[in-house]
Amino acid sequence: MKTKSRVLASVLALGLSVTTLAACSSNNNDNGSNNAGGASNAGNAAGAKDTITALLPPVSPTYQENFDQMAKDFNAKYPNLTLKIEPASWEDMTQKLDTQVNAGSPPDIAFIGSDGISKYVQQGMLMDIKDAATPDMISDFDTAPFEYMKNGAGIYGFPAYMEAHALGGNKEFLEKAGIDYKNVQKNGWTYDEFREAIKKGVVKEGNKTSRYGFVFATAGVASKDYLGVLVKGAGMPNAFTTDNKYAYTSKNYLEVLKDIRQLIDDGSMPKELSSVDAGKRWNMFLTGQTMITGKGLATFENSANKNNEKIDANDGSAVKGSIKTDYIVLPVPSFAGQPPVTTVAVDGYVTFRGKKEPSAEHKANVVKAAYFLASGKVAATTNNDLFVANITKSGKTAAEGMTTNRNPDNVAAVGVLLSHAAPARPDIPVELGAKAIKLEDEVIVPKLQALLAGEISPEDMYDAVKKAAIDTFGEDGVVKE
Amino acid sequence: MNPTKKSFFRRRLESDNSWGYAFIAVALVVFALFTAYPVASAFIISFQDYKPLGSTFIGFDNYAETFKDALFWKSIRNTIIYTILTVPVALLLSFAVAILILPLKKWMQTSFKAVYYLPAVASGVALSVVWLWIFDPMDTGIFNKLISLFGIGNQNWLGSSSTAMFSLVFMAWLSSHGTSIIIYLAALLGIDTSYYEAADLDGATFLQKLRYIVIPCLKPTTLFLLVTGVIGSFQVFQNAYLMTGGGPDNATTMVGLLIFNNAFKYFEFGKAAAQSLLLAGLIAVVALVQFKFFGKEVEY
Amino acid sequence: MSLYRNYPDRSKAKLFRNGTIIGLLLLFALATIFPIYFMVISSLGDPVEAGAMSYSLWPSKISFASYKFFFDYSEYSFRWLGNSLLVAGSVMISNVVFASMAGYAFSKIKFRGRAFLFTLLLVAMMIPYQVTQVPLYILIVNTFNLQNTYTALIVPGLVTVYNIFLSKQFMSSIPKEIIESAKMEGCNQFQIYLRIILPLSKTVLAVMAILTFMDSWNTFFWPFLVTNTMDMQTIQVGLKNFRFANTTFFAPMMAGATISALPMFILFFSLQRYFLEGVTVGAVKG
């Protein structure tokens, strides 16, 4: 039996290698990408042969289908280079990447959120492409998203898109509640305006709420998205102030916490909010159980449109109990008289190094590959699929002629949102960033869940966060009042 | 007994040493490479500030920090509570089901076995979606529909610290017994019928047979299920992570989750290794107690 | 003669007893099988995104579009199943062979260091995999250079401590008189293992085969870690490709999950005769 003999053979092989194990592990410095230096075939006129590995998730529904084409196009452009793409599912790829990083053998390129950059910098496993990226490449990108790929003085890859985290409203219900959403799209709204608006969106049958004004996905770890989106508009565009003091000890933070509780106590948001997950609230939105939902991404408009088509087709494939909805992009309110700031997610192609210092040539090749993926046709196709704007000049050119059926009001609203996007903060030292992430996971998220569930008061939570922050950053490391 | 035969027998017994090693050789090689080596590495790493490009030795710092970490102790407490609530109950349930299946007709036995074993074959993703629906906080949730029949209002099952742990425990009760039932059944079938025959002659009742034949005979199996159950339960984090993400005020944060976060999210691999070894030590103590109680091998 | 009282056929007492038992078991079965039921009916829905999913007890329509979607989505859908079959099959066979040998040695052969070695095995099992994963990865990928091979998928699971422990516990109840008498008759340990232990352990070996196959079949993280092309992925890794950044193709994923559960069903039903009837010493002697 073939299987059996294979197993047997490997057992034997392993038995033999036990003795050599110790010797092997010490002199192996392969960085995981095959022949990183490209020693073979050197002297080829077009440059030495080299292979670049990339770990890529299904960024858009059609993204992974195009892998073969991407690799082919890349090879056509650079005949001496091979782009080897490893597919990975979105939610698991961090874990794979983290294991590879811990083992000292990450791929050359990985598609990740820019918020992950600082932790890999801290591990020393990112490759700074400052010297390898040509001015032509750099000038192709919009500045705001590009800043997100920096840390300290280094540049660690190219961004793919910058997506605004907004809210989404049901047009019919907004109109019924007398909300001038077009004005809100242009000029934003304050917390008080927002609070009154979503109060009007509530519909009751007897003493049972049949429609809420606002539902945000806050179950489990998603709860930090909710707080994160809100505090940006309360004068805290980042967990650290410009002079690198921890910001979440300011009194505005307490203000936001109180407001979070207030929206639930008003009855505008469900009291079970703390276990509403992303799927649940989208279902509530489509079935008319809420007027506004969050967080809202550009693709949601697409999903809502598709469901409308299915309702029209009347073949039982639409979401059960759903109604036709026109999805309206809405901004997140601002708090305590502070200017609105939009939370953005910048994801992109981040460049890694192995245990061995990469050669200048390999570095240049990796940069070529990262740029190839982040710009031009590849970027245009992907971003079009996702309903997000192109952030490269070459991508915008390539996107001309690709059609979308987006509501022009929404496109404009996203434009407004991105105009006050939270700026990147490459100046925050990685150690501080790491501490803030730990504080968020171990104190803020659990306390926030308790706050949402009505088990502690906003003051309790504020005090707990403040105490933990002072323990972590010291009295002088945090904002006072 | 004639002397030549005796010495022959003795030689055989002595050669048991080499037979023993021959029998475990393959298992031992695989174990040494793929379990012992990683464990030994983890042990070394637990004394390091681990970095892929070069670690530094820091002595017992990782352990010391862990001992000072209040969240570590809270998660140990949660894990112990979870284990106490789930493992014995799941074991009793599987035992009862295995006993109850026995008198049925063959085809019925097979169908029931298949049904109980089924959840084990379903993908974890499918299961977690269903459980989220069961614990849906709105009145559309299955559980909330059920309790509304008794006039109880909506419960925020996973979102409130008073019910989050119970919800996870309940989930374990209903989804973690497939394997145990199959193993118990196999063990029950291995009991020699002559014991029952003898008991019948003495006029023993069902309960007496259970007490004096079944339970003692199943001791090795029970020990196996208990030890592996406790190990699994102490290391659990997937459910807690997927369903509650730690829960309000860390009500359902398990040690497994903490170790995972340290190893990957915060890249404090040395600390994760230290916590793992402490956890393993705790499990070992629990296992030792179990071996004391159930380990006396039954001789026939 | 059995644990239960033997009532004459069709007696009222027997009907009542079995009826009660069946009732209880059915109730428990309903609760147990619900997730599977849900998995199957959702797989019959349209290939829509999960956010737009509706929970219902009855399918609003029955279509096999999701199954088609599953197989059309990737040219590797069949290959994923094949890979899983190869990996789980190899792991199952080697565990049945080597874990039962080790289990026999640990339960019935007295050799020096037995207790110590067994304790070592058990203790190693108590270390959470989160921390052993990275050294193991370094060993397989960086040291042995085995990434993206079947060897890498198979070897770490060749013999598991769980299975050694399981077979040890079952074999410990085999009366030692049989072994002693076989020795007297001149059998060596290997012959004893082959002719006496294996036939007597059919039940536990069948159980071990099923559990091992299932475990290996359902393993996600390790295959995910060591494969880096779609053609080497196993079905569990492939299924996750239906999850995207903000959406999930739910019904096709459930269709895939249903398909991936089938081999385990087949294995279950083909092995179940081994653990319907117990194998006892008497049976072998006679």
Side-chain angles (χ1 to χ4, degrees):
Chain A
M1 226 172 122
K2 206 178 161 199
T3 323
K4 226 171 174 178
S5 62
R6 190 191 290 275
V7 173
L8 247 130
S10 36
V11 170
L12 285 175
L14 283 169
L16 289 175
S17 45
V18 190
T19 45
T20 53
L21 178 61
C24 282
S25 54
S26 58
N27 58 23
N28 192 300
N29 286 325
D30 187 11
N31 73 346
S33 63
N34 303 333
N35 47 43
S40 61
N41 266 349
N44 189 326
K49 275 204 174 5
D50 198 359
T51 300
I52 297 109
T53 52
L55 180 65
L56 307 179
V59 177
S60 77
T62 58
Y63 186 68
Q64 288 192 331
E65 284 167 25
N66 300 332
F67 280 175
D68 288 343
Q69 191 58 41
M70 286 180 198
K72 220 154 101 200
D73 289 350
F74 183 70
N75 190 247
K77 198 169 176 190
Y78 305 102
N80 61 321
L81 302 182
T82 311
L83 178 61
K84 221 173 127 220
I85 299 177
E86 292 179 32
S89 60
W90 189 275
E91 51 179 13
D92 305 300
M93 79 162 265
T94 326
Q95 218 181 329
K96 179 168 188 167
L97 184 62
D98 288 352
T99 308
Q100 292 177 330
V101 164
N102 261 334
S105 53
D108 294 315
I109 297 170
F111 187 95
I112 58 170
S114 57
D115 53 351
I117 287 178
S118 79
K119 82 170 188 178
Y120 297 115
V121 168
Q122 198 183 12
Q123 284 299 85
M125 297 303 286
L126 284 193
M127 186 169 79
D128 184 359
I129 58 169
K130 192 166 59 240
D131 330 317
T134 65
D136 278 353
M137 290 177 181
I138 294 175
S139 61
D140 194 17
F141 290 91
D142 292 354
T143 324
F146 191 73
E147 286 296 306
Y148 273 88
M149 308 309 280
K150 292 182 180 170
N151 191 289
I155 299 171
Y156 297 99
F158 295 120
Y161 53 73
M162 178 157 86
E163 166 127 67
H165 286 179
L167 305 179
N170 179 319
K171 185 175 163 194
E172 185 196 336
F173 298 159
L174 289 169
E175 282 167 351
K176 265 190 201 158
I179 298 162
D180 183 4
Y181 69 87
K182 287 193 180 175
N183 179 43
V184 174
Q185 281 187 326
K186 284 192 196 81
N187 302 317
W189 45 8
T190 63
Y191 169 73
D192 292 322
E193 290 163 359
F194 179 73
R195 184 184 169 198
E196 289 314 310
I198 62 172
K199 259 189 202 164
K200 284 185 244 157
V202 177
V203 175
K204 288 197 169 219
E205 281 165 17
N207 51 10
K208 212 171 151 284
T209 307
S210 63
R211 182 189 310 148
Y212 292 98
F214 181 40
V215 174
F216 201 101
T218 61
V221 279
S223 55
K224 71 176 164 199
D225 287 355
Y226 183 43
L227 186 56
V229 162
L230 297 184
V231 294
K232 297 246 175 353
M236 289 166 278
N238 194 287
F240 292 97
T241 60
T242 42
D243 54 352
N244 282 338
K245 284 195 196 301
Y246 193 68
Y248 296 164
T249 47
S250 81
K251 63 177 192 310
N252 281 358
Y253 193 73
L254 177 60
E255 218 41 55
V256 174
L257 296 180
K258 281 183 185 159
D259 294 344
I260 284 175
R261 198 54 241 169
Q262 198 171 43
L263 294 179
I264 299 173
D265 294 337
D266 280 352
S268 308
M269 295 181 87
K271 66 179 180 1
E272 301 88 352
L273 190 69
S274 64
S275 42
V276 171
D277 64 12
K280 176 79 195 163
R281 63 83 204 240
W282 185 240
N283 187 277
M284 290 177 78
F285 184 75
L286 289 182
T287 52
Q289 293 179 68
T290 182
M291 174 175 75
I292 298 176
T293 189
K295 65 185 178 202
L297 298 174
T299 45
F300 290 5
E301 186 183 337
N302 196 20
S303 304
N305 290 346
K306 276 188 189 158
N307 195 57
N308 292 345
E309 285 165 23
K310 284 178 185 156
I311 294 174
D312 286 338
N314 198 20
D315 61 353
S317 63
V319 172
K320 200 179 132 211
S322 61
I323 50 169
K324 288 183 83 168
T325 41
D326 285 319
Y327 183 88
I328 297 297
V329 174
L330 293 171
V332 174
S334 58
F335 295 78
Q338 297 290 325
V341 173
T342 307
T343 308
V344 289
V346 177
D347 300 338
Y349 300 89
V350 174
T351 49
F352 287 81
R353 56 165 290 179
K355 280 190 175 167
K356 206 167 63 181
E357 184 68 38
S359 70
E361 199 178 359
H362 183 63
K363 212 170 175 178
N365 293 337
V366 171
V367 169
K368 279 179 197 158
Y371 179 68
F372 170 78
L373 292 167
S375 65
K377 193 181 127 205
V378 178
T381 317
T382 314
N383 291 357
N384 207 38
D385 229 15
L386 287 173
F387 279 47
V388 294
N390 280 295
I391 54 166
T392 54
K393 294 187 188 79
S394 59
K396 280 168 197 152
T397 317
E400 279 165 16
M402 296 183 182
T403 51
T404 53
N405 58 339
R406 300 184 61 187
N407 176 343
D409 287 345
N410 285 347
V411 177
V414 171
V416 174
L417 288 173
L418 288 179
S419 72
H420 44 72
R425 289 293 306 279
D427 60 301
I428 297 171
V430 286
E431 294 79 17
L432 276 188
K435 280 182 186 166
I437 290 176
K438 196 164 187 171
L439 184 73
E440 181 172 45
D441 283 340
E442 295 190 344
V443 181
I444 296 182
V445 170
K447 290 290 177 195
L448 178 61
Q449 286 191 298
L451 174 70
L452 291 172
E455 291 167 6
I456 59 171
S457 70
E459 288 78 10
D460 293 340
M461 169 162 175
Y462 175 73
D463 292 342
V465 172
K466 192 170 182 180
K467 182 181 170 297
I470 291 173
D471 286 349
T472 312
F473 302 104
E475 285 281 357
D476 301 328
V478 303
V479 169
K480 283 167 203 154
E481 301 311 311
Chain B
M1 201 180 269
N2 91 46
T4 52
K5 182 121 190 189
K6 191 174 180 188
S7 71
F8 172 79
F9 188 43
R10 183 169 288 162
R11 248 187 296 135
R12 281 238 172 265
L13 260 189
E14 277 162 5
S15 72
D16 269 4
N17 250 335
S18 28
W19 276 116
Y21 296 131
F23 268 75
I24 61 167
V26 175
L28 217 55
V29 169
V30 172
F31 170 79
L33 270 177
F34 304 121
T35 310
Y37 168 75
V39 167
S41 302
F43 181 75
I44 296 169
I45 290 171
S46 75
F47 297 102
Q48 291 175 334
D49 177 17
Y50 181 84
K51 288 270 178 298
L53 297 181
S55 314
T56 42
F57 181 79
I58 53 165
F60 284 92
D61 284 10
N62 288 323
Y63 291 90
E65 268 181 52
T66 298
F67 278 116
K68 277 188 290 187
D69 187 352
L71 189 57
F72 177 75
W73 295 111
K74 181 159 193 177
S75 67
I76 288 271
R77 213 193 96 221
N78 287 339
T79 310
I80 292 176
I81 292 176
Y82 179 78
T83 304
I84 291 175
L85 290 178
T86 54
V87 176
V89 174
L91 211 64
L92 271 176
L93 267 177
S94 353
F95 180 74
V97 168
I99 293 278
L100 287 177
I101 283 181
L102 271 189
L104 302 182
K105 293 205 174 66
K106 288 263 157 65
W107 67 268
M108 249 194 246
Q109 287 198 23
T110 312
S111 333
F112 273 121
K113 268 186 242 174
V115 166
Y116 293 131
Y117 162 83
L118 264 166
V121 308
S123 98
V125 183
L127 288 180
S128 61
V129 173
V130 178
W131 281 102
L132 283 176
W133 177 25
I134 291 173
F135 289 130
D136 188 319
M138 301 303 188
D139 48 16
T140 44
I142 292 179
F143 249 33
N144 277 334
K145 272 185 189 159
L146 222 61
I147 62 168
S148 73
L149 295 179
F150 302 96
I152 308 172
N154 275 3
Q155 294 296 314
N156 192 355
W157 296 105
L158 296 164
S160 130
S161 54
S162 51
T163 49
M165 180 62 95
F166 165 78
S167 303
L168 289 182
V169 167
F170 187 82
M171 188 175 158
W173 284 348
L174 280 190
S175 58
S176 64
H177 44 63
T179 316
S180 323
I181 291 176
I182 301 279
I183 292 179
Y184 259 138
L185 270 172
L188 275 174
L189 292 169
I191 298 176
D192 208 308
T193 40
S194 56
Y195 293 128
Y196 299 131
E197 285 161 22
D200 278 342
L201 289 179
D202 292 342
T205 63
F206 170 76
L207 280 180
Q208 281 169 330
K209 280 190 252 180
L210 209 59
R211 167 96 174 68
Y212 295 105
I213 301 173
V214 176
I215 292 178
C217 281
L218 290 191
K219 249 185 172 182
T221 315
T222 307
L223 174 68
F224 171 79
L225 290 174
L226 254 183
V227 171
T228 54
V230 166
I231 291 177
S233 166
F234 266 88
Q235 295 180 358
V236 83
F237 91 100
Q238 202 75 29
N239 280 351
Y241 183 67
L242 288 177
M243 307 291 293
T244 65
D249 221 355
N250 287 313
T252 60
T253 298
M254 305 285 176
V255 197
L257 180 61
L258 211 61
I259 293 173
F260 172 81
N261 280 346
N262 275 322
F264 297 111
K265 213 164 182 181
Y266 317 134
F267 279 135
E268 293 189 41
F269 204 70
K271 201 167 168 192
Q275 291 176 342
S276 296
L277 290 164
L278 289 173
L279 178 64
L282 183 64
I283 301 174
V285 172
V286 177
L288 197 72
V289 174
Q290 293 170 336
F291 270 91
K292 274 266 179 309
F293 272 101
F294 294 89
K296 287 269 170 290
E297 279 181 19
V298 200
E299 297 290 352
Y300 303 89
Chain C
M1 297 291 124
S2 70
L3 169 61
Y4 285 90
R5 237 171 98 187
N6 277 317
Y7 293 108
D9 273 352
R10 287 169 194 282
S11 78
K12 273 201 180 130
K14 182 176 176 177
L15 277 180
F16 177 74
R17 183 194 74 191
N18 286 7
T20 317
I21 289 177
I22 292 173
L24 278 173
L25 288 177
L26 268 180
L27 206 67
F28 192 54
L30 273 182
T32 310
I33 202 150
F34 183 68
I36 309 297
Y37 169 77
F38 179 75
M39 174 179 91
V40 176
I41 63 159
S42 347
S43 75
L44 297 173
D46 271 325
V48 293
E49 291 156 4
M53 205 187 89
S54 43
Y55 296 103
S56 56
L57 281 174
W58 308 110
S60 48
K61 65 181 275 193
I62 291 184
S63 90
F64 288 94
S66 291
Y67 286 85
K68 192 172 172 319
F69 184 96
F70 171 76
F71 282 109
D72 289 347
Y73 172 74
S74 165
E75 52 182 313
Y76 298 112
S77 297
F78 281 106
R79 173 121 191 183
W80 293 338
L81 286 166
N83 287 342
S84 281
L85 217 53
L86 175 72
V87 172
S90 316
V91 168
M92 176 184 84
I93 291 167
S94 90
N95 265 286
V96 168
V97 174
F98 296 120
S100 66
M101 283 172 73
Y104 170 57
F106 279 122
S107 64
K108 291 294 172 195
I109 305 181
K110 291 208 161 63
F111 58 94
R112 224 171 291 131
R114 181 173 88 157
F116 170 74
L117 280 175
F118 187 70
T119 312
L120 201 67
L121 293 186
L122 274 191
V123 169
M125 195 176 168
M126 297 165 188
I127 313 265
Y129 78 96
Q130 287 96 327
V131 295
T132 52
Q133 205 91 73
V134 169
L136 188 62
Y137 181 85
I138 294 177
L139 181 76
I140 298 270
V141 173
N142 298 6
T143 308
F144 290 157
N145 248 315
L146 287 174
Q147 71 268 41
N148 224 23
T149 60
Y150 288 114
T151 315
L153 291 171
I154 293 168
V155 286
L158 278 179
V159 191
T160 64
V161 177
Y162 184 90
N163 283 334
I164 296 175
F165 190 16
L166 178 67
S167 52
K168 175 189 181 284
Q169 291 308 93
F170 270 76
M171 289 172 181
S172 71
S173 59
I174 294 175
K176 60 178 174 221
E177 290 78 20
I178 308 183
I179 297 167
E180 294 299 326
S181 63
K183 273 183 187 167
M184 300 292 263
E185 283 163 29
C187 285
N188 68 28
Q189 286 287 10
F190 191 70
Q191 288 165 323
I192 297 176
Y193 166 74
L194 214 59
R195 300 211 186 119
I196 298 172
I197 304 298
L198 281 190
L200 278 177
S201 306
K202 269 185 199 154
T203 316
V204 65
L205 293 183
V207 168
M208 193 197 285
I210 287 179
L211 296 183
T212 310
F213 187 89
M214 187 182 86
D215 188 52
S216 174
W217 186 271
N218 280 338
T219 302
F220 163 74
F221 194 59
W222 180 252
F224 171 63
L225 216 50
V226 296
T227 58
N228 44 32
T229 52
M230 273 202 181
D231 61 321
M232 287 300 292
Q233 288 179 347
T234 59
I235 182 72
Q236 298 301 338
V237 182
L239 279 181
K240 293 272 196 148
N241 290 325
F242 291 92
R243 301 204 126 186
F244 304 106
N246 296 304
T247 69
T248 300
F249 279 102
F250 191 72
M253 199 168 74
M254 290 300 181
T258 308
I259 292 167
S260 91
L262 280 181
M264 285 182 282
F265 267 149
I266 297 168
L267 186 74
F268 181 85
F269 284 106
S270 56
L271 287 180
Q272 52 97 7
R273 69 191 171 95
Y274 289 107
F275 48 90
L276 259 186
E277 284 158 49
V279 190
T280 52
V281 181
V284 170
K285 269 186 198 153

